[in-house]
Amino acid sequence: KAGVTQTPRYLIKTRGQQVTLSCSPISGHRSVSWYQQTPGQGLQFLFEYFSETQRNKGNFPGRFSGRQFSNSRSEMNVSTLELGDSALYLCASSLLGQTNEKLFFGSGTQLSVL
Amino acid sequence: QKEVEQDPGPLSVPEGAIVSLNCTYSNSAFQYFMWYRQYSRKGPELLMYTYSSGNKEDGRFTAQVDKSSKYISLFIRDSQPSDSATYLCAMLYSGGYQKVTFGTGTKLQVIP
């Protein structure tokens, strides 16, 4: 079974631009969540989607948004990029997003904002 | 103050040593406790998942939870160079779906 796939692996953008990251969950998984990882703050929860609906949201500004498609694939968008948005963005999937389920992570998209 | 505190290390030990990794947390609403391992340029991988206070063992790994002290630990016996990675503690509220709160991670190096 293929794991969680994130594209692209690396991305370089300049301040003020916008970016879209993509995540394909494990086949059959319907819950997709996104995390931002930085050296100082560690992993921080962005949002979680289940059946195309955002079910949970972390404490990030509205510039961070996401969506999920009917095939469970998900995209994350960051508008008006700031230097502080430079981070590893990780996507994770699970069957139904319940607390007792194992979360599977992708290898992430490394975003650098110049 | 962060909800979950974890010593960032780095921690350097000789091969075969027993490794102890720890986290403290402030919110007693956390009910589920996990340890993830993250290799360089990879996503985190779940190692251990516990719900109640006490010990849980899986091979060379033992997870320990003390809810009264808000303290969790991961012990690695007979450490191997392949254990060199960053170890993240993580916690969940009951009914919080998978909005996981992570520690910042401890970088471990096992020297052959």
Side-chain angles (χ1 to χ4, degrees):
Chain A
K1 216 178 201 183
V4 177
T5 305
Q6 290 188 248
T7 55
R9 283 285 276 132
Y10 302 93
L11 210 46
I12 299 174
K13 292 284 187 180
T14 55
R15 273 185 304 173
Q17 287 187 310
Q18 76 162 21
V19 67
T20 299
L21 313 181
S22 180
C23 172
S24 292
I26 290 172
S27 177
H29 284 193
R30 293 167 60 192
S31 168
V32 173
S33 47
W34 289 88
Y35 290 82
Q36 182 195 64
Q37 186 173 29
T38 58
Q41 297 296 318
L43 272 116
Q44 293 185 281
F45 175 81
L46 281 155
F47 28 65
E48 186 246 356
Y49 285 87
F50 178 79
S51 289
E52 301 178 67
T53 300
Q54 186 181 90
R55 204 162 52 173
N56 251 318
K57 191 177 190 312
N59 296 325
F60 279 83
R63 299 185 296 107
F64 292 81
S65 63
R67 59 177 175 168
Q68 186 181 34
F69 302 96
S70 58
N71 62 357
S72 294
R73 192 176 71 84
S74 178
E75 284 182 350
M76 191 195 113
N77 185 274
V78 188
S79 63
T80 320
L81 283 166
E82 299 177 1
L83 296 179
D85 297 333
S86 294
L88 180 66
Y89 290 88
L90 290 158
C91 164
S93 76
S94 67
L95 212 53
L96 299 172
Q98 300 299 313
T99 49
N100 61 345
E101 292 175 1
K102 187 173 178 178
L103 203 56
F104 293 84
F105 281 86
S107 293
T109 293
Q110 183 67 56
L111 172 65
S112 297
V113 182
L114 307 177
Chain B
Q1 186 194 0
K2 289 186 177 180
E3 283 189 290
V4 180
E5 298 281 355
Q6 184 175 10
D7 187 334
L11 184 61
S12 191
V13 302
E15 184 176 352
I18 296 174
V19 176
S20 172
L21 304 166
N22 312 294
C23 284
T24 58
Y25 61 97
S26 56
N27 194 332
S28 56
F30 285 127
Q31 296 293 320
Y32 299 86
F33 305 91
M34 294 148 283
W35 285 94
Y36 284 81
R37 177 176 62 195
Q38 186 175 22
Y39 291 113
S40 181
R41 300 190 190 89
K42 294 287 188 183
E45 167 195 19
L46 183 65
L47 274 178
M48 301 288 283
Y49 185 112
T50 57
Y51 171 68
S52 56
S53 281
N55 292 356
K56 182 176 180 180
E57 194 173 313
D58 185 0
R60 296 184 296 112
F61 299 92
T62 299
Q64 196 173 75
V65 174
D66 182 349
K67 287 185 180 180
S68 62
S69 301
K70 298 191 183 69
Y71 189 88
I72 69 170
S73 300
L74 177 70
F75 298 96
I76 307 173
R77 288 184 300 280
D78 187 26
S79 55
Q80 303 294 309
S82 58
D83 294 328
S84 298
T86 296
Y87 289 80
L88 302 146
C89 63
M91 306 180 188
L92 270 170
Y93 301 105
S94 178
Y97 295 111
Q98 294 211 339
K99 184 178 180 179
V100 183
T101 301
F102 284 87
T104 48
T106 300
K107 190 166 185 178
L108 171 68
Q109 185 179 20
V110 180
I111 301 168

